Amino acid sequence: MRCNFERHADAILEIFNDAIINSTALYDYKPRTRQTMVDWFAAKHAGSFPVIGIEDNDGVLLGFGSYGTFRSWPAYKYTVEHSVYVHKDHRGQGLGRAVMRELIAVARENEVHAMVGAIDAANTGSIALHEQLGFKHVGTLPQVGFKFGRWLDLAFYQLLLDTPAHPVDG
């Protein structure tokens, strides 16, 4: 299901802020604000980037994922960087996998060639999820982050898609 600001911003904000405060899934220090979500959704809309979510039967958002610009130079136009987050109370139920499968399908539809995930190297759950979906470890940047009083290594995982059928320069 596609997420939108009106229905999902507060739930996404809660999930983001839990990840910021309690984990190294986001290399951020301060909780985000509702204005951050206004800007985040505006950037997703402007770039035509998807925000995919999964709700329970009561319409509560359990997890979400999205992708966006990998790097801003034109030659990277077929590459995206993605992220996926699941609410702390619903991890380990296959929701992240379901969101990722949908993100991969949307990436193919949008003629993406490479999906890149930047994952804290100690996040074994996310690494296992990516490997199960066919992502390959393509490198680790040691000690590029510092959070919770320690250095963090950032691992990059990549999935190459069979799209676009006819890539072009420019």
Side-chain angles (χ1 to χ4, degrees):
M1 158 216 56
R2 295 292 176 119
C3 294
N4 62 60
F5 178 83
E6 294 76 21
R7 183 167 174 170
H8 301 105
D10 291 334
I12 290 174
L13 181 63
E14 178 186 345
I15 294 168
F16 270 146
N17 284 341
D18 178 69
I20 291 167
I21 293 165
N22 297 306
S23 78
T24 55
L26 273 167
Y27 285 15
D28 207 345
Y29 295 124
K30 295 180 183 178
R32 297 180 179 181
T33 65
R34 195 149 204 288
Q35 182 59 48
T36 304
M37 296 313 302
V38 171
D39 299 340
W40 187 80
F41 269 98
K44 297 299 179 187
H45 180 74
S48 297
F49 298 129
V51 181
I52 305 295
I54 294 182
E55 295 178 336
D56 67 11
N57 292 333
D58 297 322
V60 175
L61 188 71
L62 305 177
F64 73 95
S66 186
Y67 62 70
T69 303
F70 172 67
R71 300 192 77 187
S72 61
W73 291 284
Y76 292 108
K77 67 185 173 186
Y78 296 115
T79 301
V80 296
E81 183 174 347
H82 69 276
S83 58
V84 61
Y85 299 92
V86 175
H87 188 280
K88 65 182 178 177
D89 297 336
H90 301 282
R91 294 182 186 139
Q93 301 173 18
L95 300 174
R97 179 182 339 282
V99 170
M100 282 299 303
R101 283 188 174 140
E102 182 64 20
L103 274 181
I104 293 166
V106 171
R108 277 194 175 98
E109 290 170 14
N110 290 334
E111 303 273 304
V112 169
H113 181 65
M115 295 181 73
V116 176
I119 307 168
D120 183 80
N123 189 340
T124 56
S126 185
I127 289 170
L129 167 65
H130 281 78
E131 289 175 340
Q132 291 164 7
L133 292 170
F135 283 77
K136 302 295 183 205
H137 179 253
V138 293
T140 297
L141 302 176
Q143 299 185 11
V144 295
F146 189 82
K147 187 174 179 181
F148 301 136
R150 67 183 191 276
W151 291 108
L152 305 174
D153 299 344
L154 189 63
F156 287 90
Y157 283 78
Q158 180 187 49
L159 180 66
L160 294 177
L161 304 174
D162 54 1
T163 50
H166 304 288
V168 295
D169 291 330

